[in-house]
Amino acid sequence: KHHSSNLRLFQRPPFFFMSSETKQILTTDGIPLEVSLKKAERKNKIKAFLLVAPLLLFLIITYVFPIGEMFTRSVDDKMITNMLPKTFKEMETWDGKELPSEEVFAAFYKDFKVLVEKQEQGKLGQRLNKEKNGFNSITKKLLRQIKRNKIDENQSIKEQIMKIHKRWRNVEYWQAIKRTAPPYTIAKYLKGMDMYIDADGGITQVDEDRRIHRILWLRTLEIALLVTIFCFLMGYPIAHLLATLPMKYSNLLMICVLLPFWTSLLVRTASWMILLQQQGLVNDFFVLIGLVADNNRPEMMYNKVGTYVAMTQILLPFMVLPLYSVMKTISPSLMRAGKSLGGTPFVAFWKVYFPLTIPGIGAGCLLVFILAIGYYITPALVGGASGTLISNQIAYHMKTTLDWSFASAMGLMLLSGVLVIYWIYNKLVGVDNIKLG
């Protein structure tokens, strides 16, 4: 019986064998082993791709498409090109230095009349008004003249339009129309840096009293950096205390750290508005301890002070949690070893403990900075005019002026700035050194 089982075992065909003709290793199906392995590897890759396909599709729909739409909207200027096709065709031979010819005026009148019939002249006036103030009013006057049939097409269109309003005799308004001729433009990005394209096609800075966006960019970076520093200075000792206390106490304190996450951001911001106002609890406490006089209470609302205080308190947990998760993995015996080798507690902390927490510091600082640079609810409520950030300007153009192309351009500039900062951080510190525990 044992002999027969061994015989059957030797009679089974092997999984692969050597072909005598081609000198290749073949499988039992007669397929070369190399081809079979490649086919199996291809199947594994397809299975792996199908597993991550839903996540990839989600990222494309929620991240790639919106950013692509923002970029397209920020450079798209085809609306005026489609509204004034005859005007731009006649403007091709216009040098832009003096008033355009009769042909340009006549072409503009024909294009505008078509828009009146479609009831789209309002969009033209609003768009041109963003290029140069005053366009909205003069297009409305031209609309009234057309509806009253006051313009005689058999006479000079140029003379009749210039009589409607004196601004039609100003060459700068026609230059503004010509600047909108290209279907794609970087004018919105230049506007975000307080620059514009002049009549000669060059890039020029706006007047000094109108340079507001550069101030907002610098203020945004300043507030985000200082809030990150404040969170680090306050969060490091808190995280160290949580990591070194016994578990029953550290868990209780961790609940206190996580408690703000269970409260609405709007409620927390409104609470700071109550606390920081001149008749609020903070000022009452300062008066009670004699730090300030009752008639000289400091203003901590609607300025940078309120922005710093509220944003630091709101973003502090995002600094504490990465630091705590890294500090918890550091063995307490390392500090004892440093002290046993002759180092003072400060030297042992600075030479041994602090370098081990750098990955947590990097993760916490980067997380807080990125969140702070895009904040707009808290600065809008407690910041006032001096605490407004670039994100508030983006929200303003999205909801009030409805200049979505400009808001998209500033949004992409903000995103690009964050990516540049991330790249610099990677070069100086290294993303590999970031750890969340």
Side-chain angles (χ1 to χ4, degrees), residues 83-103:
M83 286 183 172
L84 304 175
K86 298 178 181 178
T87 305
F88 291 133
K89 186 176 181 180
E90 294 293 339
M91 279 187 170
E92 291 178 356
T93 57
W94 179 49
D95 58 2
K97 296 180 180 179
E98 299 179 353
L99 280 175
S101 61
E102 174 70 26
E103 289 76 11

Side-chain angles (χ1 to χ4, degrees), residues 43 184 189 280 337:
K43 289 182 179 179
Y184 299 99
Y189 292 94

Side-chain angles (χ1 to χ4, degrees), residues 186-200:
I186 61 170
K188 299 300 181 181
Y189 292 94
L190 296 176
K191 184 179 178 181
M193 296 302 295
D194 295 326
M195 294 184 290
Y196 68 97
I197 302 175
D198 57 17
D200 299 328

Side-chain angles (χ1 to χ4, degrees), residues 386-407:
S386 62
T388 303
L389 306 183
I390 199 68
S391 53
N392 302 117
Q393 194 74 2
I394 295 174
Y396 170 75
H397 287 290
M398 286 291 293
K399 296 185 294 185
T400 305
T401 66
L402 301 181
D403 193 353
W404 290 3
S405 58
F406 185 39

Side-chain angles (χ1 to χ4, degrees), residues 323-381:
L323 287 172
Y324 168 76
S325 61
V326 173
M327 290 177 178
K328 196 66 177 176
T329 61
I330 301 175
S331 175
S333 61
L334 296 177
M335 284 290 291
R336 293 195 297 266
K339 294 177 184 178
S340 66
L341 293 175
T344 62
F346 176 77
V347 172
F349 171 81
W350 185 252
K351 295 291 186 180
V352 179
Y353 191 85
F354 185 80
L356 296 176
T357 61
I358 288 179
I361 294 173
C365 290
L366 194 62
L367 182 62
V368 170
F369 183 83
I370 292 177
L371 290 173
I373 205 172
Y375 248 51
Y376 85 97
I377 295 179
T378 303
L381 294 177

